[in-house]
DNA sequence: AATTGGACGTATTTGCGACG
DNA sequence: CGTCGCAAATACGTCCAATT
């Protein structure tokens, strides 16, 4: 029954460097963005030993079918074709903007150099550019990976983006972003110049939607400089990190205890009023796990300095 | 004078079924 | 697999009155 040497993860995962994660994606609609993410999930990967593949080893050309897209995001059949078609246009026309380290400059890069919609087969072929590859380099520090399925229930792009941003800090439990950074990552452009509008139309609904789907308890505080808000501090339940040590071999492993997914009652889904804080608490992670084939584990929390 | 929050009308997206 | 077209849901721009 057990299968070894899997090259492709059964659950599609998105691999990104923080910079790519923080990038601005122009005028992608939510569906365009999902197509882009799904393509990214085909790009990254691990080898048979579970090691991340480095850019040189990655395949550049990928195919995405309307069917698999529809299944992943529960998009009705006819619509997924249209979605792919439109996304092809966007992917070719739009470039993404990535902040450069230590400066206020931005790089604008194209995601793909070729894209085609294969008629009668309902799929797209795209070829990623050289420019995006460095951002897929798997460096240990804060490299982020998450399951595509994790975001499949989000309806708004801001929820998706906020969720992605929070993934970088999932072990920390909080994240501070300046308004400018947020506006950049949310790609709002010149929209919502009024802070109140920005808040009520992006930050608040995004937090609500994430909490609707996960026991994550995201909330935020406004950080003010004088009277005006300049940054937002997001606070949420961090994931637990289990460090496993094999006493006999001295080998170590790391396990993450993710946020529990909420089960959404489909019957009441149409009009979800604000969820009361009767949410079940996260199952407390065991402080000690019994010896299990030589693996002894203890809970270690990691803190990261900002 | 400049900022904010609410409200409202319009434009854009999305969901869905019929159908070829 | 793919098109069409309509209805519902969201997103967005803008105006206005209250606030500082």
């Amino acid at each position: 029954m057990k299968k070894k040497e899997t090259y492709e993860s059964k659950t599609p995962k998105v691999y990104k460097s923080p910079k790519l994660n923080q990038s601005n994606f122009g005028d992608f609609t939510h569906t365009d963005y999902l197509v882009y993410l799904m393509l990214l999930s085909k790009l990254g990967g691990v080898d048979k030993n579970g090691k991340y593949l480095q850019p040189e080893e990655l395949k550049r050309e990928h195919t995405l079918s309307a069917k698999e897209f529809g299944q992943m995001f529960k998009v009705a059949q006819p619509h997924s074709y249209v979605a792919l078609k439109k996304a092809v246009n966007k992917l070719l026309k739009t470039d993404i903007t990535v902040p450069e380290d230590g400066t206020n400059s931005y790089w604008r890069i194209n995601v793909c150099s070729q894209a085609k919609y294969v008629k009668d087969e309902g799929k797209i072929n795209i070829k990623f550019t050289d420019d995006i590859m460095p951002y897929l380099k798997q460096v240990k520090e804060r490299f982020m990976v998450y399951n595509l399925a994790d975001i499949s229930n989000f309806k708004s792009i801001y929820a998706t983006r906020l969720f992605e941003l929070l993934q970088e800090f999932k072990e920390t439990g909080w994240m501070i972003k300046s308004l400018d950074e947020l506006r950049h990552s949310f790609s709002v452009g010149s929209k919502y110049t009024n802070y109140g509008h920005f808040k009520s139309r992006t930050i608040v609904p995004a937090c609500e939607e994430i909490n609707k789907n996960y026991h994550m308890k995201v909330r935020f505080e406004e950080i003010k400089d004088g009277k005006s808000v300049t940054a937002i501090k997001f606070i949420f339940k961090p994931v637990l990190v289990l460090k496993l040590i094999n006493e006999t071999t001295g080998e170590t492993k790391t396990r993450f205890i993710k946020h529990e997914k909420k089960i959404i009652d489909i019957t009441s889904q149409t009009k979800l009023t604000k969820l009361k804080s009767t949410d079940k608490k996260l199952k407390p992670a065991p402080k000690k796990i019994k010896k299990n084939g030589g693996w002894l584990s203890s809970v270690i929390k990691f803190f990261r300095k900002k």
Side-chain angles (χ1 to χ4, degrees):
Chain A
M1 269 299 237
K2 68 178 169 184
K3 248 168 85 192
K4 273 200 161 177
E5 306 199 353
T6 33
Y7 286 82
E8 254 176 52
S9 172
K10 228 171 113 192
T11 49
K13 291 175 170 53
V14 180
Y15 303 84
K16 280 188 185 183
S17 71
K19 264 190 276 178
L20 183 58
N21 194 34
Q22 290 150 18
S23 70
N24 178 295
F25 47 89
D27 63 347
F28 279 24
T29 64
H30 192 214
T31 2
D32 295 333
Y33 193 71
L34 294 179
V35 171
Y36 160 69
L37 285 184
M38 193 145 187
L39 285 164
L40 272 187
S41 80
K42 294 184 172 266
L43 191 50
V46 292
D47 68 9
K48 56 185 165 188
N49 299 316
K51 290 264 181 284
Y52 290 132
L53 291 169
Q54 291 303 320
E56 318 80 70
E57 311 169 85
L58 298 173
K59 228 177 94 189
R60 293 294 187 80
E61 285 171 64
H62 292 275
T63 306
L64 175 63
S65 74
K67 203 174 162 189
E68 57 180 325
F69 179 75
Q71 280 168 357
M72 171 59 71
F73 296 108
K74 301 165 193 92
V75 180
Q77 180 252 359
H79 183 62
S80 48
Y81 296 100
V82 185
L84 283 198
K85 246 185 193 171
K86 279 190 182 166
V88 168
N89 291 334
K90 285 284 178 64
L91 278 167
L92 276 181
K93 263 198 318 213
T94 317
D95 54 332
I96 61 172
T97 311
V98 188
E100 189 182 46
D101 266 345
T103 68
N104 291 326
S105 316
Y106 291 97
W107 280 106
R108 300 185 60 175
I109 59 173
N110 278 106
V111 175
C112 60
S113 54
Q114 287 177 15
K116 78 169 171 190
Y117 182 85
V118 190
K119 204 148 163 78
D120 297 331
E121 291 179 37
K123 55 189 182 188
I124 55 173
N125 276 328
I126 75 123
K127 185 176 179 185
F128 286 99
T129 58
D130 290 341
D131 304 310
I132 198 169
M133 301 315 280
Y135 296 100
L136 298 163
K137 200 174 169 73
Q138 318 272 348
V139 283
K140 239 195 286 162
E141 200 188 338
R142 279 174 51 179
F143 190 80
M144 51 162 297
V145 185
Y146 64 86
N147 284 321
L148 255 194
D150 290 349
I151 58 162
S152 61
N153 277 327
F154 294 151
K155 289 215 190 92
S156 99
I157 189 153
Y158 305 119
T160 306
R161 291 295 286 142
L162 180 61
F163 184 84
E164 287 192 285
L165 292 174
L166 292 179
Q167 290 309 302
E168 285 176 47
F169 294 89
K170 62 182 177 187
E171 298 158 41
T172 315
W174 55 271
M175 168 179 89
I176 294 178
K177 289 274 171 197
S178 74
L179 268 191
D180 287 344
E181 287 172 325
L182 266 186
R183 296 179 59 86
H184 179 260
S185 295
F186 281 1
S187 285
V188 288
S190 55
K191 290 177 280 196
Y192 309 136
T193 42
N194 180 331
Y195 168 71
H197 290 169
F198 180 67
K199 174 179 160 185
S200 64
R201 283 167 180 178
T202 69
I203 306 175
V204 172
C207 288
E208 280 176 3
E209 202 171 353
I210 292 175
N211 287 332
K212 204 167 84 186
N213 285 280
Y214 293 96
H215 291 282
M216 210 160 143
K217 300 213 165 129
V218 193
R219 63 196 170 82
F220 64 92
E221 286 170 5
E222 296 167 337
I223 297 173
K224 291 182 181 178
D225 180 14
K227 273 182 193 167
S228 55
V229 177
T230 54
I232 308 286
K233 179 176 186 179
F234 294 93
I235 302 151
F236 57 98
K237 220 165 180 137
V239 300
L240 285 172
V241 181
L242 282 178
K243 200 109 187 176
L244 302 163
I245 300 150
N246 190 315
E247 288 183 310
T248 31
T249 62
E251 227 181 311
T252 59
K253 274 191 200 172
T254 312
R255 283 285 137 76
F256 295 96
I257 312 260
K258 293 207 298 183
H259 297 105
E260 221 179 303
K261 215 169 193 167
K262 280 189 184 171
I263 294 151
I264 296 175
D265 182 4
I266 311 211
T267 52
S268 65
Q269 200 173 15
T270 37
K271 199 70 196 173
L272 265 166
T273 43
K274 254 194 189 161
L275 289 160
K276 287 274 156 53
S277 53
T278 44
D279 311 334
K280 264 179 259 151
K281 292 223 169 79
L282 269 181
K283 271 189 221 131
K287 284 273 180 270
K288 282 256 168 162
I289 291 175
K290 279 181 202 137
K291 269 189 203 179
N292 180 0
W295 290 96
L296 181 72
S297 65
S298 57
V299 178
I300 303 173
K301 276 203 182 191
F302 292 90
F303 293 96
R304 198 149 38 206
K305 285 157 215 130
K306 166 83 191 179

